[in-house]
């Protein structure tokens, strides 16, 4: 299949739509992103890669880091995680408090904010105050690229505007589901969300999820095959918050989005995909990124169904 031609066709198809949607502004440091930016990268498990647009421009991966945090936690804590974070779609926005109150402080899944904050608590317990650096290293290791970094300005901006995340953490602490100091937990969480990468790096670091947990380029085993299956299942059912059903319905691939405008998707046994365009739809998922993935499915025929 001529993947480069497909990417160029997608880029031409989406160009008239660039600028639609709205860049996230509730984190002030994200508001300066250019709504006309677009990039898309594919990494095949045979080692080939294809790119279009601004694929070397780093952006804030935001909630995409939740995939890596959960991978780390699953390897460390196995089934015991389930007593603290569930694995069900939430049907609610990523920063909603309502469900958390009536479900006794147990978040529905690790890909909404409260779920990732509990995972940040577990990683902080294990790694101490440098848990954010351990998450960054895991990320660098999975992409075989050590230029990926934490943008401390974005992390600071998140902390200064993170009222809902503080509220979520306090609510969960009142139920006994946060064990460390809230500031330490949110330091881990905000720094993990503020990891910056471009689509080349991002698609590269997801490749092990298309290959049963093993990076096919370095043969580095990041996850067991069983855990890789679970991560893919969670991405399919929970990766787009209250639009996860729609994403599965329209695209039919495990995927994970972030409010920075990135989306990653996995074609099992074939490839990993990263797309970037910072304008979001009303669920907080990249509008053009979702459109680009729909086009990719149409042109390539790749879907798990
Ligand atoms: N850091 C963001 C937040 O806490 C992550 C949200 C997202 O990407 N959906 O609100």
């Amino acid at each position: 299949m001529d993947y480069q031609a497909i990417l160029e066709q997608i880029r031409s198809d989406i160009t008239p739509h660039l600028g639609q949607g709205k860049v996230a502004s509730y984190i002030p440091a994200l508001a300066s992103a250019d709504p006309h930016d677009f990039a898309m990268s594919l990494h095949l498990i045979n080692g080939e890669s294809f790119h279009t647009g601004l694929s070397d421009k780093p952006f804030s991966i935001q909630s995409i880091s939740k995939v890596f945090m959960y991978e780390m936690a699953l390897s460390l804590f196995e089934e015991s995680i389930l007593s603290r974070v569930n694995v069900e779609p939430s049907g609610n926005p990523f920063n909603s408090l309502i469900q958390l109150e009536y479900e006794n402080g147990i978040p529905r899944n690790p890909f909404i904010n409260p779920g990732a904050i509990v995972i940040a608590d577990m990683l902080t317990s294990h790694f101490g105050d440098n848990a954010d650096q351990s998450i960054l290293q895991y990320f660098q290791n999975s992409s075989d690229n050590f230029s990926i970094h934490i943008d401390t300005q974005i992390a600071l901006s998140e902390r200064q505007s993170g009222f809902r995340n503080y509220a979520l953490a306090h609510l969960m602490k009142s139920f006994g589901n946060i064990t460390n100091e809230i500031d330490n937990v949110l330091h881990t969480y905000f720094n993990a969300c503020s990891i910056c990468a471009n689509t080349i790096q991002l698609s590269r670091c997801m490749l092990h999820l298309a290959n049963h947990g093993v990076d096919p380029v370095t043969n580095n085993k990041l996850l067991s095959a069983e855990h890789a299956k679970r991560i893919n299942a969670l991405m399919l059912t929970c990766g787009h918050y209250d639009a996860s059903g729609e994403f599965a319905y329209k695209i039919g691939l495990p995927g994970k989005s972030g409010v920075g405008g990135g989306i990653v998707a996995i074609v099992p046994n074939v490839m990993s995909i990263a797309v970037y365009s910072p304008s979001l739809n009303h669920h907080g998922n990249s509008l053009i990124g979702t459109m680009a993935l729909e086009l990719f499915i149409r042109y390539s025929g790749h879907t798990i169904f």
Side-chain angles (χ1 to χ4, degrees):
M1 200 172 313
D2 188 344
Y3 288 118
Q4 193 60 47
I6 290 178
L7 288 182
E8 297 312 335
Q9 183 61 51
I10 292 170
R11 190 176 167 194
S12 133
D13 291 352
I14 60 93
T15 298
H17 301 280
L18 286 173
Q20 292 175 4
K22 210 169 169 304
V23 170
S25 57
Y26 76 98
I27 299 171
L30 297 181
S32 55
D34 185 342
H36 292 89
D37 281 356
F38 175 75
M40 189 164 184
S41 294
L42 317 175
H43 266 94
L44 273 57
I45 62 170
N46 70 8
E48 288 183 279
S49 66
F50 302 90
H51 315 280
T52 190
L54 300 167
S55 55
D56 56 1
K57 180 169 181 172
F59 60 92
S60 181
I61 69 165
Q62 290 295 315
S63 279
I64 296 172
S65 65
K66 294 171 182 170
V67 176
F68 294 89
M69 293 167 70
Y70 195 68
E71 285 193 12
M72 293 171 77
L74 200 50
S75 297
L76 287 167
F77 305 108
E78 303 267 344
E79 295 302 295
S80 68
I81 300 185
L82 293 175
S83 63
R84 297 188 57 188
V85 184
N86 218 325
V87 287
E88 293 298 337
S90 69
N92 278 304
F94 57 83
N95 55 8
S96 169
L97 284 137
I98 298 168
Q99 198 169 43
L100 200 55
E101 163 81 24
Y102 63 73
E103 296 190 352
N104 302 321
I106 307 292
R108 274 290 174 106
N109 68 68
F111 293 166
I112 50 174
N113 292 11
I117 291 170
V118 172
I119 298 298
D121 183 49
M122 297 177 86
L123 295 177
T124 303
S125 296
H126 186 81
F127 292 108
D129 291 347
N130 290 330
D132 58 329
Q133 296 303 318
S134 302
I135 297 166
L136 179 65
Q137 279 160 16
Y138 186 89
F139 200 88
Q140 292 172 330
N141 197 24
S142 65
S143 61
D144 201 23
N145 185 313
F146 293 84
S147 70
I148 295 172
H149 60 282
I150 293 172
D151 186 322
T152 50
Q153 283 307 108
I154 294 179
L156 178 66
S157 180
E158 283 215 49
R159 187 158 63 79
Q160 288 170 341
S161 58
F163 309 114
R164 273 189 169 261
N165 288 324
Y166 275 96
L168 290 164
H170 280 281
L171 182 58
M172 291 190 290
K173 197 160 178 82
S174 78
F175 283 106
N177 202 15
I178 294 289
T179 56
N180 292 284
E181 292 292 328
I182 283 172
D183 276 332
N184 295 348
V185 174
L186 289 179
H187 172 82
T188 304
Y189 173 79
F190 292 140
N191 277 15
C193 289
S194 301
I195 290 173
C196 285
N198 59 40
T199 57
I200 300 174
Q201 296 162 335
L202 200 50
S203 55
R204 175 70 185 78
C205 69
M206 303 302 287
L207 195 51
H208 63 285
L209 287 173
N211 193 44
H212 311 285
V214 178
D215 180 344
V217 181
T218 59
N219 271 328
N220 185 5
K221 184 173 177 179
L222 288 137
L223 283 178
S224 69
E226 176 64 21
H227 287 177
K229 180 206 76 182
R230 291 182 188 178
I231 303 279
N232 274 288
L234 273 174
M235 286 170 60
L236 182 72
T237 53
C238 309
H240 284 72
Y241 325 114
D242 47 339
S244 297
E246 189 182 327
F247 188 85
Y249 181 83
K250 286 187 173 165
I251 288 155
L253 292 176
K256 180 76 201 81
S257 74
V259 288
I263 304 180
V264 290
I266 302 297
V267 184
N269 302 313
V270 184
M271 69 168 80
S272 53
I273 306 169
V275 58
Y276 169 61
S277 181
S279 281
L280 309 178
N281 61 25
H282 66 278
H283 297 288
N285 301 317
S286 172
L287 184 88
I288 304 291
T290 308
M291 202 182 281
L293 283 167
E294 267 189 87
L295 290 165
F296 182 75
I297 300 318
R298 188 185 311 158
Y299 295 143
S300 69
H302 285 311
T303 168
I304 61 169
F305 299 109

